[in-house]
Amino acid sequence: MRATGPLPSDHPPVAAKKIGILLVNLGTPDAPEKKAVKRYLREFLSDKRVVEIPSIIWQPILRGIILNTRPAKSAKAYSLVWTEDGSPLAFYTRKQAEKLATRITGDTDGVMVDWAMRYGNPSVQSRLDAMKAAGCDRILIAPLYPQYSGATTASVHDAVFDAIAAMRWQPAIRLLPAYHDDPAYIDALATSLERDIAALDFVPDAVVASFHGMPQRTLELGDPYHCHCRKTARLLSERMGRELVVAFQSRFGRAKWLEPATDAVLESLAGQGKKNIAIFAPGFSSDCLETCEELAIRGREQFESGGGEKFAYLPCLNDSDTGIDMLETLVRRELSGWI
């Protein structure tokens, strides 16, 4: 039978109980430099959720070819969108956490809101450790991916459970589910898009919804991502009373990816008589390299090379009031019974 009684005098005090909310996004290098990008890509592309190729085959390719060629190119792309506050993704994710904290902690004592990156810094491990040290015995993990995929949402879950596996005293964990068809999300997208489209100095002939691509094989293996993207687009189209052109961006490697590809769509629209377009990325909660550089910069070039005339990239929800309203709705719902 174990002894009971007062703790030794050198035992650290137990912090007052708190509830934690951890927003998690994909990740970003620490700087728009080759070395930092290489470190980030090594972690990202070594995740077996992201690249589903046996390590014995993939790692020699990754370390022998990709990590010796891609970092320089990616660093150049990051340099085009980097700000004095860091990468757009890190900036907006931090602002989302800060603004959500103001909303939640303003009327609720004992709640801590923080943010982390699945790859890069701040890591999921470091922020969970900090929350545990601050007394959080219940933590809501909120992956900021509206559409579920094994390569994104499930990878966040992996990181969380790996982190708490080493803890003797584990906090209770809740996971924010995918919200691709949640009315709060659809309404937030529609409100944001209608406002941004109305502010343009032209009327779009087409509005393109560009989702991040995934290998076709993931769909065949049962990943719901493609279906979630299509449902988001359908519900948003119905909500706005406007037809959307759905496409998938960021193809990588030789495998077949979800189609149609965004670059191909942009190059072909003008030939279909759609000379003026607006494009947005409903699968991203925050602007990032894939939106600021791939869509806003390269997307414009691809559209104009195909004969297009007027092009507008419409930003993500980011830390807008509309976006924070949505996050607050989702988070408060999942905290039911805790606060």
Side-chain angles (χ1 to χ4, degrees):
M1 184 174 185
R2 293 186 179 180
T4 59
L7 295 172
S9 59
D10 61 346
H11 192 283
V14 176
K17 289 185 177 181
K18 294 181 180 179
I19 295 168
I21 303 168
L22 186 65
L23 306 185
V24 185
N25 221 318
L26 185 77
T28 176
D30 295 323
E33 300 168 356
K34 181 179 176 180
K35 184 177 181 180
V37 172
K38 184 175 183 178
R39 183 168 58 247
Y40 166 72
L41 289 177
R42 181 186 296 114
E43 181 183 8
F44 174 47
L45 296 177
S46 291
D47 187 343
K48 294 181 180 180
R49 291 278 192 182
V50 173
V51 180
E52 296 183 89
I53 299 174
S55 295
I56 194 171
I57 298 173
W58 173 243
Q59 282 299 320
I61 298 172
L62 175 62
R63 296 173 184 273
I65 301 173
I66 296 174
L67 292 180
N68 288 311
T69 58
R70 192 170 177 184
K73 181 179 179 180
S74 294
K76 182 178 180 181
Y78 273 109
S79 69
L80 296 176
V81 302
W82 211 264
T83 73
E84 61 181 14
D85 295 305
S87 74
L89 184 66
F91 171 75
Y92 284 120
T93 306
R94 182 177 70 248
K95 295 297 289 184
Q96 287 169 328
E98 291 172 352
K99 290 187 176 183
L100 183 62
T102 299
R103 299 281 190 93
I104 301 291
T105 62
D107 59 7
T108 304
D109 292 331
V111 177
M112 176 181 180
V113 183
D114 206 344
W115 62 284
M117 292 294 168
R118 174 60 184 90
Y119 314 102
N121 297 305
S123 68
V124 171
Q125 173 84 61
S126 69
R127 301 332 298 151
L128 286 176
D129 286 344
M131 285 187 157
K132 181 67 169 24
C136 295
D137 66 342
R138 288 168 289 177
I139 301 175
L140 170 65
I141 307 297
L144 297 180
Y145 309 118
Q147 297 80 24
Y148 179 98
S149 173
T152 55
T153 314
S155 183
V156 169
H157 297 174
D158 290 345
V160 169
F161 294 128
D162 284 347
I164 68 171
M167 296 180 182
R168 176 172 293 277
W169 185 1
Q170 296 178 331
I173 297 292
R174 286 184 180 177
L175 305 170
L176 178 72
Y179 49 95
H180 63 287
D181 58 354
D182 194 290
Y185 166 63
I186 300 300
D187 286 347
L189 283 179
T191 298
S192 179
L193 288 171
E194 288 168 346
R195 179 183 62 239
D196 291 345
I197 290 173
L200 297 176
D201 61 0
F202 66 92
V203 177
D205 298 318
V207 177
V208 180
S210 181
F211 294 90
H212 199 287
M214 291 288 176
Q216 176 71 20
R217 181 171 176 268
T218 63
L219 172 60
E220 296 165 357
L221 289 173
D223 196 298
Y225 178 75
H226 179 262
C227 299
H228 282 192
C229 292
R230 287 290 181 177
K231 189 171 185 181
T232 292
R234 176 175 62 79
L235 292 175
L236 184 58
S237 177
E238 293 170 355
R239 167 69 169 73
M240 297 178 66
R242 174 192 290 272
E243 182 179 358
L244 301 174
V245 178
V246 177
F248 296 89
Q249 65 185 84
S250 308
R251 287 179 297 175
F252 175 73
R254 298 180 180 179
K256 182 177 177 61
W257 281 53
L258 297 178
E259 294 180 339
T262 299
D263 53 0
V265 168
L266 291 176
E267 291 172 359
S268 67
L269 280 172
Q272 302 169 25
K274 314 232 183 248
K275 297 286 188 178
N276 309 313
I277 72 160
I279 190 169
F280 70 107
F284 296 86
S285 61
S286 305
D287 277 306
C288 55
L289 181 71
E290 286 80 3
T291 63
C292 297
E293 191 272 338
E294 185 177 356
L295 293 185
I297 298 176
R298 280 193 283 143
R300 177 187 294 276
E301 294 171 352
Q302 290 158 354
F303 179 62
E304 292 177 347
S305 71
E309 296 175 0
K310 292 187 177 181
F311 175 96
Y313 168 69
L314 309 179
C316 297
L317 292 173
N318 294 323
D319 65 330
S320 64
D321 288 343
T322 302
I324 301 303
D325 286 345
M326 178 206 69
L327 276 178
E328 182 181 7
T329 296
L330 299 179
V331 165
R332 284 190 181 277
R333 181 189 305 157
E334 296 307 316
L335 290 176
S336 177
W338 281 5
I339 63 172

